Amino acid sequence: MKGDRKTLTPEDQFATLAITCYDEQLTKGKDYLYDRIQNADKEKYQIIGINHNKSRNKSHYHILVRMLDNSKKGTVSTVLKELGIEYRDKTDDDLLSKGALETCGYFSKYAVYLLHKTTEAIQGGKAPYDPDEYITNLSSEDISTVLAGYTPSKEALTASTRANIVDKARTAGYNLENFEDFIESFRIFGIGSTDDKKFRNSYISGINDRMYKNNRIMRFTIEVEYPEGISEASKKRIDDALCKAISVYRSSQCSHLPLRIDPFTEAILLYSDSDDKMYDYRDISCSRITELRIPITSTKSIWAGKVFIFTHPYIPRINPRIRIYTSKSDYFIFEHYKTNKDSFLCTIKNNKLICIEQPGYEYSEDEYNFILKEFKKLRDRFNEVLADSLNASNTLTIDLDELNL
C-alpha cells in the first residue's frame, strides 16, 4: 500500500491528497473540521475523512481529497487552511517526515484500506470501521461507487481505454510526469495488477526514449563533506538530518548500500564511510542506473530523479581546487576535481549546511532558478532538523536534592 503513495509538502500541488492529523492540529476544533468536509464544494473535491479512535494508538484523523477536474491541481496548503488543519513548525516535522501529507496512490484503494477490513489490516490487528463512519461530502451512492472501484473488474476498463492509457503513459514517462497522478487522472475503477504493470512498462519506455535522445532534465548533485575531526555521533546526526531533509521530495532513498531505485525516485542520498566512495555522478539527462556506479537492487534500468547527494569524510587540500585521494577503487573517478568539478561541495559550519564550491560550468536561467530553489529547500530543512536534534541532545540530569526540596 505504502509504495503507491508519495510524500507531499504544504507547498505542493496534487491530484489526490491524503492527510493524517491529530486533535491538537485542528485550529478550529473537530466540529469545524467535520462541517468543512461535509460542506466542501462537490464540484471541486471529493473528500472522505475518518476518525481512527478504536485502538490503543492516539486518536487521529485520515482525510482523502481528490480533485474532480483532471486538468487542475489543488494546493495542499489551501486545503489545510479550508479544513482548519495546521502542521506546526518543528512540532510536527517528524509527523510530516513520516508521510502525514502524501498522494493517495489509488483513491479507492486507500478509502477501502481506512476501513481496516483488508487482509493487510486484519493481519496487522487493526480495529475495523464501517462506511457510515466516514465524514464526507459524498452521497452514500457515491461512497459505494468509490469502494466498488477497489475491486478489480474486467468491465471497469474497456479495451479502447486500456490502449489509450498505454499510449499516453509513454508520453507521460517522456515528460517525467508523476505516474500515480497520471493514472488517477483517468478516474478508472478496478485497475488490476496486470494492467498496472502494462501501464508502468509503457511509462518507463517513455523515460527510455528521453534517455536515448539525451534530453536534459533538471538535476544536480550535492557532495557533503564531514568537517575535519568529526565524531561518529555527530556524523550520524548529520546523516539523519540529511535523510529527513530529502523527505521533502515525493519519493526518496537514503541508505547505506545497496539501494532500491526506481525511474521516478526523485532524490537519492548515499552515506560514505571512507574516501574511496566518492561518487562521480554528473549526468543531467535520464541515465542508466548502472552509471551511478553504486550497487543496487532495482530491476529497473533508468533513473530520472532530481537530486543526488552523497557524504564523505574530510579530504585534505593542497589548494582550493585540488584534493588528495588515497583510493584505488575501480568504481570512482577523481581527476575531474582538478579542473571543473560536477557537484556542489558542501560542509557543515556552525551547525548549518553551507556550499563552499560549485561546478565549473554555466546554467540556463531555468536550471539556475531550479538549483537555487531546490538547494535552499534542502538546506533550510536540514538546518531545522539538525537544530532540533542538537536541542534534544542538550539534556539535563535531575538533581534529586533539588527535586526533594
Side-chain angles (χ1 to χ4, degrees):
M1 176 79 186
K2 180 65 177 175
D4 296 337
R5 292 145 26 200
K6 306 301 178 184
T7 302
L8 298 174
T9 69
E11 293 74 31
D12 285 329
Q13 294 186 318
F14 68 91
T16 63
L17 168 65
I19 302 168
T20 301
C21 62
Y22 294 83
D23 282 306
E24 56 267 31
Q25 295 171 257
L26 306 183
T27 59
K28 299 183 180 181
K30 177 178 177 180
D31 291 341
Y32 180 88
L33 172 67
Y34 283 21
D35 178 73
R36 291 296 85 206
I37 292 175
Q38 291 165 345
N39 292 290
D41 186 352
K42 296 181 181 180
E43 301 299 317
K44 186 176 182 181
Y45 304 124
Q46 286 184 334
I47 304 185
I48 297 176
I50 195 165
N51 180 201
H52 280 172
N53 56 6
K54 297 181 181 180
S55 67
R56 295 179 181 178
N57 295 328
K58 185 177 179 180
S59 175
H60 58 280
Y61 304 88
H62 293 282
I63 302 157
L64 311 184
V65 185
R66 174 160 64 180
M67 299 296 295
L68 285 179
D69 187 340
N70 297 335
S71 66
K72 295 181 180 179
K73 299 276 186 171
T75 303
V76 176
S77 58
T78 300
V79 173
L80 295 178
K81 184 176 181 180
E82 288 179 4
L83 299 179
I85 299 171
E86 177 186 30
Y87 286 88
R88 299 156 296 178
D89 186 38
K90 296 184 179 180
T91 302
D92 297 319
D93 284 355
D94 187 55
L95 183 61
L96 285 170
S97 71
K98 293 177 180 177
L101 298 172
E102 59 186 0
T103 62
C104 294
Y106 296 121
F107 189 82
S108 297
K109 182 178 180 180
Y110 206 144
V112 170
Y113 179 77
L114 292 181
L115 296 177
H116 289 172
K117 293 183 179 180
T118 61
T119 301
E120 180 183 354
I122 292 171
Q123 290 177 346
K126 295 181 180 293
Y129 293 81
D130 293 317
D132 60 11
E133 295 178 83
Y134 282 144
I135 310 103
T136 181
N137 68 337
L138 301 179
S139 66
S140 57
E141 292 79 10
D142 289 336
I143 288 294
S144 296
T145 301
V146 169
L147 298 181
Y150 177 64
T151 306
S153 169
K154 293 180 180 178
E155 291 73 32
L157 187 62
T158 65
S160 61
T161 302
R162 181 182 291 107
N164 184 38
I165 295 177
V166 169
D167 180 58
K168 290 185 176 180
R170 191 181 187 92
T171 303
Y174 188 89
N175 293 331
L176 303 180
E177 297 176 29
N178 178 269
F179 177 77
E180 278 74 25
D181 287 350
F182 164 75
I183 292 296
E184 189 67 37
S185 70
F186 287 90
R187 306 289 302 281
I188 297 296
F189 297 130
I191 297 179
S193 58
T194 300
D195 285 320
D196 182 82
K197 182 178 180 180
K198 185 179 296 184
F199 300 152
R200 286 180 184 273
N201 286 341
S202 179
Y203 176 88
I204 290 169
S205 72
I207 298 179
N208 267 295
D209 284 349
R210 189 179 185 109
M211 184 196 72
Y212 290 132
K213 292 178 181 178
N214 201 33
N215 281 10
R216 290 161 66 98
I217 60 176
M218 296 294 187
R219 173 186 292 162
F220 68 107
T221 300
I222 298 177
E223 172 188 344
V224 180
E225 183 175 77
Y226 299 123
E228 185 177 10
I230 193 173
S231 68
E232 288 300 314
S234 295
K235 187 185 298 184
K236 184 179 186 307
R237 189 173 288 121
I238 290 172
D239 288 349
D240 290 344
L242 284 170
C243 188
K244 289 183 178 180
I246 69 169
S247 69
V248 298
Y249 290 100
R250 302 179 77 172
S251 57
S252 59
Q253 284 279 310
C254 52
S255 175
H256 292 285
L257 304 178
L259 292 175
R260 180 169 184 82
I261 301 168
D262 292 315
F264 15 81
T265 301
E266 289 191 344
I268 300 172
L269 165 64
L270 298 180
Y271 308 123
S272 177
D273 298 320
S274 61
D275 63 6
D276 69 342
K277 291 185 178 178
M278 294 289 296
Y279 299 96
D280 175 30
Y281 190 69
R282 48 195 163 178
D283 199 346
I284 52 174
S285 61
C286 296
S287 319
R288 292 197 178 280
I289 289 179
T290 52
E291 293 171 1
L292 291 176
R293 306 183 178 208
I294 57 176
I296 57 167
T297 60
S298 176
T299 58
K300 305 299 182 185
S301 61
I302 306 299
W303 181 52
K306 296 179 178 179
V307 181
F308 186 86
I309 307 174
F310 63 91
T311 66
H312 65 80
Y314 174 81
I315 299 173
R317 292 164 173 75
I318 58 177
N319 70 44
R321 299 299 289 175
I322 301 178
R323 285 182 276 175
I324 303 171
Y325 298 94
T326 58
S327 170
K328 295 181 180 179
S329 170
D330 291 333
Y331 270 129
F332 311 106
I333 301 172
F334 306 129
E335 291 299 317
H336 70 281
Y337 286 103
K338 295 181 181 178
T339 54
N340 292 339
K341 43 191 307 299
D342 298 289
S343 58
F344 289 82
L345 175 61
C346 298
T347 190
I348 313 302
K349 187 174 182 179
N350 297 325
N351 297 320
K352 295 185 182 297
L353 183 69
I354 63 168
C355 185
I356 55 178
E357 289 183 27
Q358 64 175 311
Y361 44 78
E362 297 180 350
Y363 298 97
S364 69
E365 183 177 354
D366 286 344
E367 289 170 330
Y368 176 87
N369 291 332
F370 165 78
I371 290 173
L372 203 64
K373 175 185 175 183
E374 298 301 319
F375 178 80
K376 287 184 177 181
K377 179 169 68 174
L378 286 166
R379 178 202 65 193
D380 293 348
R381 176 61 177 153
F382 171 86
N383 291 344
E384 288 175 6
V385 174
L386 186 61
D388 287 346
S389 176
L390 291 170
N391 289 336
S393 66
N394 294 331
T395 55
L396 299 174
T397 301
I398 297 293
D399 185 331
L400 294 181
D401 291 335
E402 186 174 342
L403 188 68
N404 292 319
L405 286 177

